[in-house]
Amino acid sequence: MENRKVTLSYEDGKSIDFPVLPGTLGPDVVDIRTFSKTGMFTFDPGFLATSACESKITFIDGDLGQLYYRGYPIEQLAEHSDFLESCYLLLNGELPNAEEKKNFDYTVLRHNMLHDQILSFFKGFRRDAHPMAVMVGVVGALSAFYHDSLDINDPHHREVSAFRLIAKVPTIAAQAYRYNKGLPFSYPKAGLTYAENFLHMMFSTPVSEYKVNPVLARALDRIFILHADHEQNASTSTVRLAGSSGANPFACIAAGIACLWGPSHGGANEAVLKMLDEIGSVDNVPAFMEGVKNKTHKLMGFGHRVYKNMDPRAKIMKQTCDEVLNELGLHNDPKFKLAMALEKIALEDPYFIERKLYPNVDFYSGIVLSAIGIPVSMFTPIFALARTVGWIAHWTEMIADPGMKIGRPRQLYTGAVRRDYVPVAERK
Ligand code: CMC
């Protein structure tokens, strides 16, 4: 391929060339690494035009509404794969053969118990703590328990930490819920799949075994697949930035969980259900929509920084949503009727059409989780447990890259110019 370049011309006639780097899919990028030699920096708050890294894991075309994990369309994975197979794919770059799949599943499902002393950690939190607060703390605390896998330069240590995180984060999430409810801790159970085990740990009690409904377990597994990775989103970029300093993987994933918590990111599915509660009934939708258009509030679960077309995950989730509501006979439940009315009105409203605002995955996943009986405060922890594999895959890709550098953005300073200290007695 010919060497392409972009030329920057100055008013005084000087110019500087920057090479153009092609990807296998998606837009080319201008390599501006030498730009600082000009004595200036680029300015791009929110990274609207900046690729912060090279990656081979996930591809998104926001205009066409495409999402691929390692080249495989998300629709095919949601239909034919399961979450642990998708984890293997994201981590290793290829789908496993039958033997590899068996070993991977076995390893993850054998490591889902927590060190018994970790359980005492939970007791330090207030009972009413948000489960995300508990997750940030307890996942970060794993680094105090697994010293034997903290050498980030050792590929075996990295792999062991990856297994530990993927296996144990669901247990931590479920226990955060149970602690909040005052329920006794529930250990994972042999013979269940990843999603079944999560439902078991959430809902079984010593006096009532939770009978897993296969339709609900499959829906949850699909939610896990759809949330497993999403290229350089805010929390993944946070994990990369934290990891670029050499911090251990447990600390980095805790940082990712903290970032995910925000309502513009992983907190949106929780915000969707809160919004439905606030609206209350279909009759109040027109007034609510007026408020959206006046920018008093947003329609949560709509819009996306990258997708300016239907989020492909939302299409799959909508179908799963129908399956779950049918299975549970909830189609006429007022809350779910309200959600469907809201979706229909927004899809036909010029405000949303002109701005290319479509329902995102969180609009439907919130409804599915709620129908399954999962409390709203657990929605973002479930997103976090599914995204753990994506974070780990990106962290591993970055650490294994010999060209890795600590992330250190610069700034446009607009604060005070130099001035001298004034003793307090002389200040006005
Ligand atoms: N409701 C009403 N108006 C909206 C919404 C919304 N949900 N989202 C964007 N807009 C408007 C926004 O006010 C702006 O209008 P105008 O051009 O008149 O100023 C226009 O659409 C463009 O919006 P933007 O703020 O430039 O878009 P963005 O790319 O910066 O924000 C977003 C993306 C996801 C933060 C935003 O759409 C949003 O806050 N949505 C609601 C929260 C949500 O559902 N988040 C989940 C994202 S998907 C899960 C994930 O990947 O984390």
Side-chain angles (χ1 to χ4, degrees), residues 54 64 90 100 103 123 137 163 168 172 176 210 282 308 326 366 386:
E54 181 184 333
L64 297 179
L90 286 166
E100 287 163 340
N103 290 340
K123 301 200 171 87
F163 274 119
K168 295 178 197 305
I172 294 172
Y210 180 77
V282 179
K308 302 303 171 194
N326 272 337

Side-chain angles (χ1 to χ4, degrees), residues 50-191:
T50 298
S51 305
C53 64
E54 181 184 333
S55 182
K56 295 180 168 44
I57 301 173
T58 291
F59 172 75
I60 303 173
D61 186 319
D63 293 325
L64 297 179
Q66 293 171 336
L67 169 61
Y68 303 159
Y69 292 167
R70 301 283 191 180
Y72 293 99
I74 192 68
E75 294 83 354
Q76 293 184 21
L77 294 170
E79 177 84 27
H80 304 296
S81 185
D82 61 45
F83 178 64
L84 286 185
E85 186 177 71
S86 300
C87 288
Y88 185 101
L89 174 68
L90 286 166
L91 291 170
N92 299 295
E94 298 297 335
L95 286 167
N97 64 28
E99 185 68 15
E100 287 163 340
K101 178 165 170 30
K102 200 170 127 214
N103 290 340
F104 186 83
D105 288 9
Y106 176 77
T107 309
V108 172
L109 295 172
R110 249 192 76 231
H111 285 91
N112 47 14
M113 280 175 62
L114 299 177
H115 188 295
D116 219 42
Q117 225 175 323
I118 291 178
L119 297 184
S120 47
F121 250 85
F122 286 86
K123 301 200 171 87
F125 290 95
R126 281 172 56 136
R127 285 277 178 195
D128 60 358
H130 193 288
M132 282 298 275
V134 176
M135 285 189 71
V136 172
V138 177
V139 172
L142 292 180
S143 44
F145 287 84
Y146 299 111
H147 302 280
D148 59 340
S149 67
L150 292 186
D151 179 357
I152 63 163
N153 298 313
D154 181 333
H156 179 62
H157 279 215
R158 295 201 292 263
E159 192 185 14
V160 171
S161 292
F163 274 119
R164 283 180 168 153
L165 278 156
I166 295 164
K168 295 178 197 305
V169 168
T171 315
I172 294 172
Q175 303 315 345
Y177 162 70
R178 295 180 74 94
Y179 180 71
N180 175 274
K181 296 287 282 182
L183 290 165
F185 289 111
S186 166
Y187 287 96
K189 194 171 156 187

